[in-house]
Amino acid sequence: MPRSSRPSAPRTALAAAIALAAALTACSAPGESDSDTGSGSGPIKIAVVNARSGQLSSLGDWEYKGAKLAIDEWNDKGGINGRKIELKSFDDQGDPTAGTNLARKIDSENYIAMIGTAESAVTIAMAPVLRQAEIPNITSGQSDGLVALKSPFLFLNGPTSTTYDTTLAKYLIQDKGYKKIAMITNNGSFGKGEHDAFAKAAKDLGVTPVTDQVVTTDQKEFSAALTAIRSKKPEVVFIGSEEVEAGLIVKQARELGITVPFAGAAPQGTPVFIDTAGKEAAEGTIVSSPYLSNDISPAAQKFAAAYEAAYDEEAELHGAKAYDGATILLTALKNSDVATGKKLADAIRATHHDGLLGQFRYGPDGVGITRTTIGVIQDGKLVEQK
């Protein structure tokens, strides 16, 4: 009788087992094992996501450089457990939909953690995908909406808008004695967070804004809002908008004859804000920030020197935030033997880090630092308000 071409049952079972093992190996993330710790020998894949194009691209550039500097330093010392850390930059274009698609891509390409974004709306859009995939995310966003998500995989590498703006409101109202405060914010996630945090802080101190102007995130011309502000004769104007838009608002305000100081949070302390507004127009802007300058501490001076040596430009807050965030992540990876998923998230939460921005001690809300100080722009530079 001719031999049947059908394989025997044992051979079929063996082939199926081999195929299953191969499939499971292919699906495993770098550094991932059954115990969620790093038993592999390949590179440890970390994504950094930010706008690398468009109006917010300066944020993405600073963030990438800060994170890369920390990772390069660790790699120069041998990486983690002898494994190199591989960092790849993804451009979210400042768009929540693009960010959501990137979150899925990061998951499918087996990145075990993400640094970014600096844009709260994009981070908020990405968070559900990253949570489901159990990919820890250390973000530079500051909107209180990030905390409201209550994701155990989301961590902030800086203060929330509540911290920035409570500090600022106390300085303006209690220290400076301002009572007539105007507000201009945009309707994006960042602007809304700034609006709500500052308005509440001012109300708690007994002050209601004399006018509350809201503009769109893509607006370029602000004469109507600024004319309304000018008519109220405020003593100071609170601004809640990203660097470029904030700079345009201040520039146009000066052209309309508004001479009082502007006050705001992190974006108003950046070189892009100062360059967009113009040095003279930005003079006297009051800023609440956890990182006023590269001279605030020996650690900041060392970081700034390394940053300038690597990129031939001055460091600033966003690069420092990303450097702190990357350092926290790398420390957690080392302490957890390159854990992934929930074990890595737990290791991040357990990490105590004395960083460039201050002492990071994470609570269950994912917030690690709750302090800012007041600076003022003088001669084109942000300096501490004495």
Side-chain angles (χ1 to χ4, degrees):
M1 292 180 61
R3 181 176 294 178
S4 171
S5 61
R6 182 179 179 181
S8 65
R11 186 177 300 171
T12 302
L14 178 61
I18 293 172
L20 178 59
L24 289 173
T25 300
C27 291
S28 295
E32 187 175 36
S33 71
D34 291 341
S35 62
D36 290 331
T37 58
S39 60
S41 59
I44 301 166
K45 296 177 66 175
I46 298 172
V48 57
V49 181
N50 274 295
R52 301 306 303 274
S53 59
Q55 185 166 290
L56 301 177
S57 60
S58 57
L59 293 175
D61 188 51
W62 293 325
E63 292 258 320
Y64 174 70
K65 288 173 177 175
K68 185 176 185 299
L69 181 61
I71 287 171
D72 285 347
E73 290 174 352
W74 279 63
N75 277 334
D76 288 345
K77 295 176 182 178
I80 300 174
N81 295 350
R83 298 168 62 186
K84 292 293 185 181
I85 304 113
E86 178 183 302
L87 182 71
K88 183 174 180 180
S89 174
F90 295 88
D91 181 10
D92 63 41
Q93 305 165 49
D95 177 65
T97 300
T100 302
N101 291 334
L102 285 178
R104 298 190 182 101
K105 181 180 178 67
I106 288 166
D107 179 25
S108 69
E109 294 185 359
N110 301 324
Y111 287 85
I112 67 171
M114 177 183 133
I115 299 168
T117 71
E119 314 108 37
S120 296
V122 178
T123 302
I124 288 170
M126 298 178 74
V129 177
L130 298 175
R131 179 175 185 165
Q132 184 175 12
E134 297 193 348
I135 297 174
N137 174 201
I138 299 183
T139 176
S140 287
Q142 67 188 59
S143 170
D144 289 281
L146 296 162
V147 178
L149 294 173
K150 298 182 179 180
S151 170
F153 295 92
L154 182 61
F155 303 87
L156 279 64
N157 64 15
T160 64
S161 291
T162 292
T163 296
Y164 278 99
D165 297 330
T166 299
T167 302
L168 183 60
K170 286 180 178 178
Y171 175 76
L172 297 177
I173 296 168
Q174 294 181 336
D175 296 352
K176 298 295 288 184
Y178 294 140
K179 302 300 181 186
K180 297 181 66 177
I181 301 176
M183 293 179 64
I184 180 168
T185 58
N186 70 35
N187 62 357
S189 180
F190 172 78
K192 186 177 187 306
E194 287 294 286
H195 173 280
D196 293 351
F198 185 82
K200 181 181 184 305
K203 182 180 179 181
D204 290 344
L205 294 170
V207 171
T208 300
V210 294
T211 184
D212 185 353
Q213 300 292 316
V214 178
V215 299
T216 64
T217 55
D218 58 354
Q219 200 165 325
K220 300 292 189 297
E221 204 280 324
F222 307 96
S223 60
L226 291 172
T227 298
I229 288 173
R230 184 179 61 184
S231 70
K232 297 296 183 179
K233 299 180 179 179
E235 298 167 292
V236 64
V237 180
F238 172 80
I239 184 168
S241 182
E242 294 85 352
E243 286 80 355
V244 173
E245 185 176 66
L248 291 174
I249 289 170
V250 172
K251 182 177 186 294
Q252 293 174 32
R254 300 307 185 215
E255 291 169 352
L256 282 172
I258 298 173
T259 59
V260 300
F262 279 79
Q268 284 69 61
T270 63
V272 170
F273 166 77
I274 296 169
D275 290 345
T276 306
K279 181 178 174 182
E280 185 176 346
E283 185 76 5
T285 298
I286 301 163
V287 180
S288 174
S289 174
Y291 188 89
L292 292 177
S293 78
N294 296 322
D295 297 320
I296 60 173
S297 68
Q301 293 171 354
K302 181 180 178 182
F303 160 73
Y307 190 99
E308 186 162 9
Y311 307 119
D312 194 29
E313 64 184 47
E314 287 190 26
E316 52 69 68
L317 167 66
H318 294 86
K321 287 174 75 174
Y323 183 91
D324 272 348
T327 301
I328 291 167
L329 171 60
L330 298 174
T331 302
L333 283 166
K334 180 181 178 181
N335 291 343
S336 65
D337 195 26
V338 194
T340 61
K342 184 178 183 300
K343 288 187 178 180
L344 177 55
D346 290 342
I348 293 171
R349 192 170 291 105
T351 299
H352 289 182
H353 176 61
D354 294 340
L356 302 173
L357 274 65
Q359 292 187 333
F360 285 83
R361 305 291 187 267
Y362 281 105
D365 60 358
V367 177
I369 189 167
T370 56
R371 181 180 180 273
T372 64
T373 52
I374 298 297
V376 63
I377 294 176
Q378 293 180 353
D379 196 27
K381 295 285 186 180
L382 179 62
V383 299
E384 185 175 1
Q385 179 64 48
K386 301 295 186 179

